[in-house]
Amino acid sequence: MTDYRCINTEQACELIDQGAQIVDIRDEGSYAELHISNAYNLNNHNLPEYIGQADFDKPLIVCCYHGISSQSAAAYLAHQGFDEVYSLDGGFEAWRTQCPDRCER
């Protein structure tokens, strides 16, 4: 895949249940307050480390606040060589409303 696709929360849940990776690009404080279970807080400082240890063959879901910033991050990660990259429509705000049982602190 040379680009990314946008997916809704239901599709994201299915992918996560199948072993997809999740990165949360929100600021550290927002991430620490509440985030998708098992999400990795990705930022400019830990990006090289993440790319160095990530599984490029597993689907990757990118989450931001409202689903806007995640699109450019998803495009960037797709161009880094990840096979399947997705941007979460509605971002974490949609996720926490629709999937509150799949959030953690």
Side-chain angles (χ1 to χ4, degrees):
M1 175 182 259
T2 59
D3 214 354
Y4 70 94
R5 292 187 304 176
C6 292
I7 58 172
N8 61 35
T9 55
E10 185 177 317
Q11 293 166 312
C13 283
E14 291 174 18
L15 284 171
I16 290 167
D17 289 345
Q18 296 169 13
Q21 307 168 92
I22 313 134
V23 293
D24 186 330
I25 63 168
R26 297 175 304 141
D27 69 88
E28 287 182 36
S30 297
Y31 173 85
E33 187 176 312
L34 195 65
H35 57 271
I36 297 171
S37 298
N38 300 315
Y40 180 85
N41 188 214
L42 185 63
N43 58 49
N44 290 335
H45 302 292
N46 64 13
L47 178 62
E49 176 187 337
Y50 178 77
I51 289 177
Q53 57 86 32
D55 186 342
F56 284 74
D57 297 326
K58 280 188 173 181
L60 175 64
I61 301 168
V62 183
C63 172
C64 65
Y65 291 98
H66 297 96
I68 306 301
S69 300
S70 58
Q71 293 180 37
S72 58
Y76 175 81
L77 291 165
H79 287 102
Q80 298 307 302
F82 286 90
D83 288 340
E84 288 181 59
V85 182
Y86 302 92
S87 173
L88 180 61
D89 283 339
F92 185 72
E93 291 303 312
W95 183 271
R96 75 178 187 166
T97 301
Q98 297 172 23
C99 306
D101 59 323
R102 296 184 116 182
C103 295
E104 63 184 35
R105 295 190 192 290

XYZ file of all heavy atoms in Angstrom:
831
model
N 0.851 -1.175 0.000
C 0.000 0.000 0.000
C 0.899 1.241 0.000
O 1.820 1.334 0.787
C -0.900 -0.022 1.241
C -1.757 1.210 1.406
S -2.752 1.157 2.915
C -4.301 0.683 2.213
N 0.638 2.158 -0.870
C 1.450 3.365 -0.918
C 0.754 4.533 -0.259
O 1.319 5.611 -0.173
C 1.774 3.733 -2.381
O 0.542 3.922 -3.089
C 2.595 2.655 -3.046
N -0.457 4.350 0.196
C -1.194 5.419 0.847
C -1.988 4.835 2.010
O -1.788 3.702 2.397
C -2.116 6.095 -0.165
C -2.274 7.584 0.104
O -1.765 8.062 1.144
O -2.913 8.261 -0.696
N -2.871 5.613 2.554
C -3.660 5.182 3.702
C -5.134 5.242 3.351
O -5.523 5.818 2.337
C -3.373 6.089 4.905
C -3.931 7.476 4.725
C -5.190 7.804 5.222
C -3.225 8.450 4.037
C -5.723 9.065 5.040
C -3.755 9.709 3.861
C -4.997 10.017 4.355
O -5.531 11.255 4.171
N -5.949 4.658 4.218
C -7.406 4.744 4.087
C -7.986 5.260 5.387
O -7.433 5.008 6.455
C -8.007 3.381 3.771
C -7.647 2.876 2.391
C -8.384 1.614 2.038
N -8.145 0.573 3.049
C -8.715 -0.607 3.045
N -9.568 -0.935 2.113
N -8.449 -1.494 3.974
N -9.117 5.922 5.314
C -9.845 6.361 6.503
C -10.832 5.270 6.885
O -11.479 4.690 6.016
C -10.592 7.670 6.230
S -9.503 9.073 5.966
N -10.925 4.998 8.182
C -11.856 3.981 8.676
C -12.623 4.531 9.874
O -12.147 5.424 10.576
C -11.141 2.672 9.066
C -10.072 2.904 10.130
C -10.553 1.997 7.832
C -9.472 1.632 10.697
N -13.793 3.964 10.113
C -14.591 4.382 11.259
C -14.219 3.536 12.482
O -13.423 2.606 12.395
C -16.092 4.317 10.944
C -16.565 2.919 10.598
O -16.082 1.926 11.133
N -17.528 2.826 9.703
N -14.826 3.846 13.611
C -14.478 3.141 14.851
C -14.811 1.653 14.797
O -14.058 0.826 15.309
C -15.162 3.795 16.069
O -16.559 3.851 15.838
C -14.634 5.182 16.323
N -15.911 1.310 14.160
C -16.284 -0.106 14.063
C -15.231 -0.888 13.271
O -14.815 -1.980 13.681
C -17.652 -0.237 13.387
C -18.175 -1.654 13.344
C -19.559 -1.742 12.724
O -20.420 -0.901 13.044
O -19.765 -2.662 11.911
N -14.796 -0.326 12.151
C -13.761 -0.979 11.348
C -12.450 -1.056 12.131
O -11.741 -2.064 12.064
C -13.557 -0.219 10.041
C -14.750 -0.277 9.114
C -14.652 0.749 7.997
O -14.357 1.932 8.236
N -14.897 0.309 6.772
N -12.141 0.001 12.879
C -10.915 0.014 13.681
C -10.962 -1.079 14.747
O -9.962 -1.769 14.965
C -10.716 1.383 14.316
N -12.100 -1.244 15.395
C -12.240 -2.305 16.401
C -11.958 -3.672 15.798
O -11.263 -4.494 16.409
C -13.640 -2.281 17.005
S -13.905 -0.971 18.203
N -12.494 -3.915 14.617
C -12.264 -5.202 13.951
C -10.780 -5.413 13.681
O -10.243 -6.499 13.924
C -13.056 -5.270 12.648
C -14.557 -5.361 12.840
C -15.329 -5.287 11.531
O -14.732 -5.497 10.452
O -16.540 -5.013 11.591
N -10.110 -4.384 13.179
C -8.684 -4.498 12.892
C -7.869 -4.703 14.167
O -6.928 -5.498 14.194
C -8.183 -3.257 12.152
C -8.547 -3.171 10.676
C -8.177 -1.805 10.111
C -7.837 -4.267 9.893
N -8.232 -3.992 15.220
C -7.525 -4.138 16.497
C -7.699 -5.558 17.024
O -6.741 -6.176 17.498
C -8.017 -3.082 17.506
C -7.542 -1.689 17.062
C -7.526 -3.408 18.914
C -8.219 -0.532 17.779
N -8.896 -6.091 16.912
C -9.147 -7.465 17.353
C -8.332 -8.474 16.549
O -8.052 -9.574 17.028
C -10.636 -7.800 17.264
C -11.459 -7.069 18.315
O -10.880 -6.537 19.290
O -12.698 -7.014 18.151
N -7.944 -8.093 15.344
C -7.134 -8.961 14.486
C -5.636 -8.688 14.647
O -4.824 -9.256 13.934
C -7.535 -8.772 13.022
C -8.952 -9.196 12.721
C -9.426 -8.754 11.352
O -8.649 -8.338 10.503
N -10.725 -8.823 11.135
N -5.276 -7.790 15.587
C -3.862 -7.561 15.883
C -3.257 -6.289 15.333
O -2.029 -6.144 15.345
N -4.064 -5.350 14.876
C -3.528 -4.095 14.346
C -2.803 -3.300 15.428
O -3.142 -3.374 16.607
C -4.645 -3.244 13.745
N -1.812 -2.536 15.012
C -1.093 -1.613 15.882
C -1.865 -0.288 15.891
O -2.483 0.072 14.902
C 0.305 -1.342 15.324
C 1.107 -2.599 15.044
C 2.349 -2.293 14.239
O 3.399 -2.066 14.806
N 2.226 -2.271 12.923
N -1.779 0.447 17.003
C -2.430 1.754 17.099
C -1.407 2.771 17.569
O -0.708 2.530 18.558
C -3.592 1.756 18.114
C -4.491 0.557 17.909
C -4.381 3.051 18.030
C -4.837 -0.117 19.187
N -1.326 3.891 16.862
C -0.509 5.003 17.338
C -1.423 6.200 17.573
O -2.330 6.463 16.795
C 0.654 5.363 16.388
C 1.684 4.248 16.347
C 0.189 5.700 14.993
N -1.172 6.880 18.665
C -1.939 8.056 19.080
C -0.994 9.243 18.980
O 0.018 9.291 19.682
C -2.417 7.849 20.519
C -3.337 8.940 21.020
O -3.202 10.099 20.574
O -4.171 8.638 21.886
N -1.310 10.194 18.109
C -0.401 11.324 17.889
C -0.809 12.573 18.680
O -0.253 13.644 18.460
C -0.254 11.641 16.383
C -1.584 12.064 15.772
C 0.350 10.442 15.642
C -1.459 12.651 14.374
N -1.728 12.421 19.612
C -2.096 13.553 20.466
C -0.948 13.870 21.428
O -0.028 13.074 21.602
C -3.374 13.239 21.242
C -4.585 13.026 20.359
C -5.812 12.608 21.142
N -5.528 11.408 21.922
C -5.985 11.193 23.155
N -6.765 12.073 23.762
N -5.688 10.067 23.786
N -1.027 15.018 22.080
C 0.028 15.401 23.023
C 0.075 14.425 24.202
O -0.896 13.731 24.489
C -0.175 16.845 23.505
C -1.401 16.981 24.386
O -1.263 16.786 25.609
O -2.494 17.251 23.851
N 1.217 14.408 24.882
C 1.438 13.453 25.975
C 0.410 13.574 27.087
O -0.010 12.570 27.654
C 2.845 13.631 26.552
C 3.933 13.120 25.657
C 5.313 13.276 26.289
O 5.433 13.115 27.531
O 6.256 13.553 25.546
N 0.013 14.795 27.419
C -0.957 14.995 28.496
C -2.309 14.389 28.163
O -2.923 13.721 29.003
N -2.779 14.619 26.943
C -4.062 14.048 26.517
C -3.989 12.534 26.471
O -4.908 11.841 26.901
C -4.456 14.593 25.142
O -4.650 15.985 25.202
N -2.873 12.025 25.963
C -2.675 10.576 25.911
C -2.689 9.989 27.324
O -3.332 8.975 27.579
C -1.355 10.261 25.200
C -0.981 8.809 25.234
C -1.473 7.927 24.282
C -0.130 8.298 26.220
C -1.132 6.574 24.310
C 0.213 6.953 26.256
C -0.291 6.103 25.294
O 0.042 4.772 25.335
N -1.965 10.629 28.257
C -1.885 10.123 29.626
C -3.248 10.144 30.313
O -3.554 9.266 31.125
C -0.879 10.941 30.438
N -4.069 11.129 29.979
C -5.393 11.236 30.586
C -6.291 10.072 30.175
O -6.959 9.469 31.000
C -6.031 12.555 30.174
C -7.331 12.855 30.873
C -7.870 14.218 30.491
O -7.094 15.192 30.513
O -9.059 14.280 30.161
N -6.298 9.749 28.885
C -7.111 8.644 28.370
C -6.718 8.370 26.926
O -6.520 9.300 26.156
C -8.604 9.007 28.453
C -9.607 7.861 28.288
C -9.485 6.860 29.436
C -11.024 8.424 28.245
N -6.611 7.094 26.578
C -6.256 6.723 25.206
C -6.836 5.348 24.868
O -7.325 4.636 25.747
C -4.733 6.720 25.009
C -3.999 5.819 25.949
N -3.546 6.241 27.176
C -3.656 4.518 25.859
C -2.943 5.239 27.790
N -3.000 4.170 27.007
N -6.772 4.993 23.604
C -7.210 3.675 23.151
C -6.305 2.630 23.807
O -5.079 2.800 23.854
C -7.131 3.556 21.616
C -8.084 4.560 20.957
C -7.443 2.134 21.156
C -7.931 4.662 19.450
N -6.896 1.586 24.315
C -6.120 0.516 24.951
C -5.024 0.021 24.021
O -5.265 -0.225 22.838
C -7.042 -0.653 25.329
O -8.002 -0.240 26.264
N -3.821 -0.085 24.564
C -2.629 -0.573 23.857
C -2.106 0.366 22.775
O -1.248 -0.033 21.979
C -2.855 -1.964 23.270
C -3.177 -2.979 24.334
O -2.527 -3.017 25.375
N -4.199 -3.777 24.103
N -2.580 1.605 22.735
C -2.066 2.565 21.758
C -0.685 3.059 22.200
O -0.393 3.159 23.390
C -3.020 3.738 21.615
N 0.137 3.375 21.217
C 1.476 3.910 21.449
C 1.427 5.411 21.184
O 0.939 5.831 20.134
C 2.468 3.221 20.503
C 3.885 3.679 20.644
C 4.719 3.113 21.603
C 4.407 4.660 19.811
C 6.043 3.522 21.728
C 5.726 5.073 19.932
C 6.538 4.510 20.885
O 7.846 4.904 21.010
N 1.907 6.220 22.127
C 1.900 7.677 21.949
C 3.084 8.072 21.065
O 4.222 8.109 21.504
C 1.971 8.363 23.304
C 1.773 9.861 23.223
O 2.372 10.603 23.985
N 0.928 10.329 22.334
N 2.794 8.340 19.809
C 3.818 8.646 18.813
C 3.971 10.152 18.657
O 2.985 10.877 18.502
C 3.425 8.017 17.472
C 4.423 8.116 16.330
C 5.711 7.366 16.667
C 3.817 7.559 15.051
N 5.238 10.606 18.694
C 5.519 12.028 18.475
C 6.820 12.167 17.692
O 7.461 11.166 17.368
C 5.571 12.783 19.811
C 6.611 12.207 20.759
O 7.758 11.988 20.387
N 6.203 11.941 21.991
N 7.202 13.397 17.401
C 8.408 13.622 16.605
C 9.668 13.110 17.290
O 10.630 12.739 16.625
C 8.565 15.107 16.276
C 7.529 15.575 15.289
O 7.004 14.795 14.508
N 7.217 16.859 15.323
N 9.664 13.069 18.614
C 10.854 12.644 19.349
C 11.050 11.129 19.344
O 12.181 10.654 19.305
C 10.796 13.151 20.795
C 10.690 14.638 20.878
N 11.709 15.487 20.512
C 9.664 15.427 21.249
C 11.325 16.733 20.662
N 10.082 16.737 21.108
N 9.953 10.360 19.394
C 10.111 8.904 19.447
C 9.799 8.214 18.117
O 9.804 6.998 18.039
C 9.280 8.307 20.589
C 7.779 8.498 20.406
O 7.297 8.853 19.340
N 7.030 8.261 21.465
N 9.550 8.993 17.083
C 9.238 8.429 15.763
C 10.337 7.495 15.244
O 10.032 6.372 14.832
C 8.945 9.543 14.761
C 8.653 9.120 13.329
C 7.395 8.257 13.256
C 8.506 10.349 12.439
N 11.615 7.902 15.257
C 12.649 6.979 14.752
C 12.695 5.660 15.527
O 12.847 4.590 14.941
C 13.956 7.767 14.930
C 13.539 9.194 14.958
C 12.187 9.203 15.615
N 12.539 5.742 16.850
C 12.534 4.535 17.677
C 11.349 3.646 17.312
O 11.490 2.428 17.179
C 12.456 4.923 19.155
C 12.352 3.752 20.090
C 12.101 4.192 21.531
O 12.431 5.335 21.883
O 11.566 3.375 22.288
N 10.182 4.258 17.152
C 8.986 3.481 16.810
C 9.171 2.782 15.466
O 8.906 1.584 15.343
C 7.738 4.372 16.777
C 6.518 3.575 16.377
C 5.894 2.735 17.295
C 6.030 3.611 15.075
C 4.804 1.956 16.927
C 4.941 2.837 14.708
C 4.338 2.017 15.633
O 3.272 1.242 15.259
N 9.616 3.522 14.478
C 9.802 2.938 13.144
C 10.836 1.812 13.194
O 10.688 0.796 12.514
C 10.168 4.028 12.117
C 8.929 4.891 11.847
C 10.703 3.415 10.827
C 9.146 6.045 10.906
N 11.843 1.960 14.036
C 12.876 0.939 14.160
C 12.384 -0.373 14.758
O 12.946 -1.429 14.489
N 11.326 -0.317 15.569
C 10.848 -1.543 16.224
C 9.476 -2.002 15.739
O 8.999 -3.048 16.147
C 10.823 -1.359 17.747
C 9.978 -0.198 18.254
C 8.513 -0.522 18.466
O 8.153 -1.630 18.815
N 7.658 0.453 18.225
N 8.825 -1.241 14.895
C 7.455 -1.555 14.458
C 7.421 -2.740 13.497
O 8.384 -3.025 12.789
C 6.822 -0.338 13.793
N 6.275 -3.385 13.474
C 6.021 -4.480 12.546
C 5.345 -3.890 11.303
O 4.176 -3.526 11.346
C 5.131 -5.520 13.213
C 4.936 -6.760 12.361
O 5.179 -6.703 11.133
O 4.514 -7.790 12.920
N 6.070 -3.776 10.224
C 5.570 -3.147 9.003
C 4.514 -3.987 8.298
O 3.825 -3.503 7.412
C 6.730 -2.851 8.040
C 7.544 -1.660 8.444
C 8.423 -1.733 9.520
C 7.431 -0.467 7.766
C 9.167 -0.632 9.900
C 8.174 0.641 8.140
C 9.044 0.559 9.207
N 4.402 -5.255 8.689
C 3.430 -6.142 8.061
C 2.058 -6.100 8.734
O 1.080 -6.554 8.153
C 3.951 -7.591 8.069
C 5.227 -7.735 7.258
O 5.369 -7.028 6.246
O 6.081 -8.544 7.651
N 1.995 -5.592 9.961
C 0.715 -5.494 10.673
C 0.007 -4.200 10.289
O 0.650 -3.173 10.111
C 0.945 -5.477 12.188
C 1.175 -6.798 12.804
C 1.193 -6.633 14.319
C 1.255 -7.963 15.018
N 1.255 -7.777 16.469
N -1.310 -4.234 10.211
C -2.050 -2.991 9.966
C -1.734 -1.968 11.059
O -1.506 -2.324 12.217
C -3.514 -3.415 10.040
C -3.500 -4.878 9.764
C -2.199 -5.386 10.318
N -1.716 -0.697 10.682
C -1.403 0.393 11.593
C -2.525 1.427 11.539
O -2.859 1.926 10.460
C -0.074 1.037 11.201
C 0.360 2.271 11.977
C 0.602 1.917 13.448
C 1.615 2.866 11.361
N -3.097 1.736 12.700
C -4.164 2.725 12.805
C -3.593 3.962 13.480
O -2.968 3.865 14.535
C -5.353 2.184 13.620
C -5.917 0.922 12.954
C -6.429 3.252 13.780
C -6.887 0.149 13.828
N -3.821 5.123 12.868
C -3.341 6.387 13.418
C -4.528 7.160 13.977
O -5.539 7.341 13.299
C -2.613 7.231 12.348
C -2.054 8.505 12.964
C -1.504 6.422 11.674
N -4.398 7.602 15.221
C -5.454 8.323 15.920
C -4.947 9.696 16.352
O -3.832 9.815 16.859
C -5.876 7.503 17.135
S -7.016 8.332 18.243
N -5.769 10.725 16.168
C -5.481 12.056 16.675
C -6.705 12.527 17.461
O -7.480 11.705 17.941
C -5.117 13.008 15.541
S -6.483 13.326 14.386
N -6.905 13.827 17.580
C -8.058 14.336 18.328
C -9.380 14.117 17.593
O -10.329 13.583 18.145
C -7.898 15.832 18.610
C -6.807 16.142 19.584
C -5.552 16.543 19.140
C -7.012 16.028 20.949
C -4.537 16.828 20.031
C -5.999 16.306 21.853
C -4.763 16.711 21.385
O -3.760 16.974 22.271
N -9.442 14.593 16.330
C -10.706 14.579 15.591
C -10.622 13.902 14.219
O -11.562 13.978 13.446
C -11.220 16.004 15.412
C -11.528 16.682 16.698
N -10.635 17.518 17.325
C -12.605 16.609 17.508
C -11.159 17.959 18.454
N -12.353 17.414 18.598
N -9.514 13.293 13.886
C -9.390 12.592 12.617
C -8.840 13.424 11.482
O -8.888 13.005 10.327
N -8.305 14.601 11.777
C -7.741 15.465 10.733
C -6.222 15.290 10.651
O -5.688 14.918 9.611
C -8.103 16.947 10.993
C -9.609 17.130 11.158
C -7.548 17.835 9.874
C -10.455 16.713 9.997
N -5.532 15.547 11.748
C -4.066 15.432 11.770
C -3.595 14.014 11.494
O -2.509 13.818 10.951
C -3.521 15.874 13.134
O -3.858 17.207 13.396
N -4.401 13.049 11.858
C -4.007 11.655 11.646
C -3.881 11.324 10.163
O -3.143 10.409 9.800
C -4.998 10.707 12.310
O -6.296 10.900 11.816
N -4.553 12.075 9.315
C -4.477 11.787 7.883
C -3.080 12.065 7.331
O -2.527 11.237 6.595
C -5.537 12.573 7.130
C -6.938 12.107 7.468
C -8.005 12.869 6.731
O -7.843 13.229 5.564
N -9.116 13.128 7.406
N -2.485 13.197 7.694
C -1.140 13.476 7.199
C -0.119 12.546 7.851
O 0.834 12.106 7.199
C -0.761 14.943 7.404
O -0.845 15.304 8.757
N -0.326 12.206 9.128
C 0.573 11.257 9.787
C 0.456 9.875 9.151
O 1.458 9.189 8.953
C 0.262 11.195 11.281
N -0.758 9.469 8.820
C -0.975 8.172 8.173
C -0.296 8.138 6.808
O 0.330 7.138 6.445
C -2.460 7.880 8.051
N -0.413 9.227 6.056
C 0.246 9.291 4.743
C 1.760 9.175 4.902
O 2.425 8.440 4.153
C -0.122 10.589 4.029
N 2.311 9.865 5.884
C 3.745 9.796 6.140
C 4.170 8.367 6.481
O 5.145 7.843 5.923
C 4.135 10.752 7.275
C 5.578 10.625 7.659
C 6.572 11.255 6.921
C 5.962 9.835 8.748
C 7.910 11.110 7.259
C 7.292 9.695 9.095
C 8.258 10.332 8.345
O 9.588 10.171 8.678
N 3.447 7.735 7.392
C 3.800 6.374 7.805
C 3.636 5.375 6.669
O 4.432 4.443 6.536
C 2.982 5.971 9.031
C 3.365 6.734 10.306
C 2.299 6.575 11.372
C 4.727 6.285 10.816
N 2.637 5.577 5.829
C 2.473 4.701 4.668
C 3.696 4.800 3.754
O 4.177 3.796 3.235
C 1.203 5.061 3.905
N 4.213 6.002 3.609
C 5.387 6.195 2.756
C 6.680 5.716 3.412
O 7.713 5.614 2.749
C 5.487 7.653 2.314
C 4.456 7.993 1.287
N 3.301 8.685 1.590
C 4.373 7.684 -0.029
C 2.562 8.796 0.514
N 3.176 8.197 -0.492
N 6.624 5.403 4.694
C 7.786 4.825 5.377
C 7.862 3.320 5.165
O 8.845 2.697 5.551
C 7.755 5.141 6.874
C 7.814 6.620 7.192
C 8.982 7.307 6.514
O 10.138 6.934 6.710
N 8.687 8.294 5.703
N 6.808 2.739 4.576
C 6.861 1.323 4.234
C 5.865 0.422 4.938
O 5.889 -0.790 4.724
N 4.981 0.976 5.777
C 3.954 0.137 6.400
C 3.002 -0.354 5.311
O 2.606 0.407 4.431
C 3.182 0.928 7.460
C 3.972 1.164 8.713
C 4.770 2.292 8.843
C 3.934 0.250 9.750
C 5.511 2.511 9.991
C 4.673 0.456 10.906
C 5.463 1.592 11.026
N 2.646 -1.637 5.379
C 1.806 -2.242 4.348
C 0.378 -1.704 4.346
O -0.182 -1.437 3.291
C 1.751 -3.764 4.519
C 3.055 -4.433 4.129
O 3.850 -3.830 3.388
O 3.267 -5.575 4.571
N -0.220 -1.587 5.517
C -1.609 -1.118 5.644
C -1.655 -0.016 6.693
O -1.349 -0.272 7.860
C -2.531 -2.235 6.130
C -2.841 -3.316 5.160
C -3.781 -4.329 5.806
O -4.889 -3.937 6.225
O -3.380 -5.500 5.899
N -2.060 1.181 6.286
C -2.149 2.294 7.227
C -3.544 2.897 7.139
O -4.090 3.074 6.042
C -1.085 3.379 6.942
C -1.165 4.495 7.971
C 0.318 2.770 6.917
N -4.099 3.204 8.317
C -5.455 3.741 8.402
C -5.476 4.970 9.293
O -4.748 5.036 10.289
C -6.401 2.686 8.994
C -6.426 1.418 8.210
C -5.572 0.366 8.535
C -7.282 1.262 7.127
C -5.576 -0.817 7.806
C -7.290 0.078 6.390
C -6.436 -0.951 6.733
O -6.441 -2.111 6.012
N -6.326 5.921 8.942
C -6.593 7.083 9.773
C -7.977 6.884 10.381
O -8.932 6.551 9.676
C -6.556 8.357 8.927
O -6.962 9.471 9.681
N -8.083 7.103 11.695
C -9.348 6.898 12.395
C -10.258 8.113 12.222
O -9.956 9.195 12.730
C -9.081 6.635 13.876
C -10.303 6.391 14.759
C -11.075 5.149 14.297
C -9.878 6.254 16.211
N -11.352 7.926 11.499
C -12.339 8.994 11.314
C -12.887 9.435 12.669
O -13.238 8.601 13.500
C -13.515 8.525 10.447
C -13.185 8.470 8.967
O -12.226 9.136 8.533
O -13.899 7.762 8.241
N -12.945 10.725 12.883
C -13.465 11.253 14.141
C -12.461 11.252 15.265
O -12.719 11.803 16.328
N -11.320 10.595 15.058
C -10.245 10.576 16.033
C -10.648 10.010 17.383
O -11.623 9.265 17.511
N -9.883 10.405 18.396
C -10.137 9.880 19.735
C -11.475 10.351 20.283
O -12.116 9.634 21.062
C -9.007 10.251 20.700
C -9.190 9.624 22.048
C -8.988 8.267 22.218
C -9.615 10.372 23.125
C -9.192 7.667 23.453
C -9.817 9.780 24.359
C -9.604 8.431 24.525
N -11.923 11.524 19.881
C -13.212 12.017 20.367
C -14.339 11.065 19.962
O -15.219 10.758 20.765
C -13.480 13.437 19.867
C -12.566 14.477 20.488
C -12.630 14.490 22.015
O -13.740 14.506 22.571
O -11.555 14.486 22.650
N -14.317 10.578 18.737
C -15.321 9.607 18.295
C -15.118 8.282 19.022
O -16.083 7.646 19.458
C -15.241 9.404 16.784
N -13.852 7.877 19.168
C -13.557 6.601 19.813
C -14.080 6.559 21.242
O -14.736 5.614 21.643
C -12.049 6.345 19.803
C -11.697 5.025 20.389
C -11.443 4.746 21.702
C -11.599 3.774 19.707
N -11.175 3.417 21.872
C -11.261 2.798 20.656
C -11.746 3.402 18.371
C -11.081 1.462 20.316
C -11.563 2.068 18.037
C -11.232 1.116 19.001
N -13.787 7.588 22.030
C -14.172 7.539 23.441
C -15.682 7.604 23.633
O -16.201 7.124 24.624
C -13.470 8.610 24.256
C -13.993 9.998 24.062
C -13.245 10.931 24.966
N -13.870 12.236 24.903
C -13.630 13.184 25.758
N -12.784 12.988 26.746
N -14.215 14.346 25.642
N -16.391 8.158 22.654
C -17.850 8.191 22.703
C -18.438 6.838 22.323
O -19.365 6.352 22.958
C -18.389 9.270 21.741
O -17.856 10.534 22.135
C -19.893 9.336 21.762
N -17.855 6.211 21.292
C -18.419 4.981 20.755
C -17.817 3.712 21.357
O -18.439 2.657 21.304
C -18.255 4.975 19.236
C -19.014 6.114 18.584
C -18.708 6.257 17.105
O -18.275 5.320 16.458
N -18.947 7.436 16.566
N -16.622 3.803 21.907
C -15.943 2.619 22.453
C -15.315 2.899 23.820
O -14.123 2.638 24.019
C -14.841 2.159 21.486
S -15.396 1.882 19.814
N -16.082 3.433 24.768
C -15.485 3.810 26.059
C -14.872 2.632 26.812
O -13.938 2.822 27.603
C -16.658 4.424 26.830
C -17.874 3.838 26.203
C -17.520 3.638 24.754
N -15.351 1.436 26.562
C -14.819 0.258 27.241
C -13.462 -0.175 26.680
O -12.821 -1.070 27.233
C -15.810 -0.900 27.155
C -16.142 -1.292 25.726
O -16.240 -0.388 24.860
O -16.344 -2.488 25.470
N -13.020 0.483 25.601
C -11.730 0.142 24.994
C -10.739 1.296 25.157
O -9.914 1.544 24.296
C -11.924 -0.197 23.524
C -12.796 -1.449 23.355
C -12.908 -1.839 21.938
N -12.276 -3.150 21.825
C -12.149 -3.816 20.699
N -12.585 -3.314 19.578
N -11.581 -4.998 20.686
N -10.860 1.995 26.289
C -9.949 3.089 26.619
C -9.238 2.761 27.924
O -9.741 2.000 28.744
C -10.725 4.398 26.801
S -11.518 5.006 25.309
N -8.064 3.352 28.100
C -7.314 3.170 29.347
C -6.545 4.430 29.661
O -6.352 5.278 28.810
C -6.386 1.962 29.266
C -5.309 2.070 28.220
C -4.472 0.802 28.100
O -4.994 -0.314 28.256
O -3.272 0.953 27.836
N -6.106 4.509 30.895
C -5.295 5.643 31.362
C -3.835 5.256 31.389
O -3.470 4.170 31.517
C -5.716 6.062 32.764
C -7.123 6.580 32.751
C -7.490 7.242 34.083
N -8.898 7.493 34.185
C -9.569 8.399 33.473
N -8.953 9.136 32.608
N -10.860 8.566 33.636
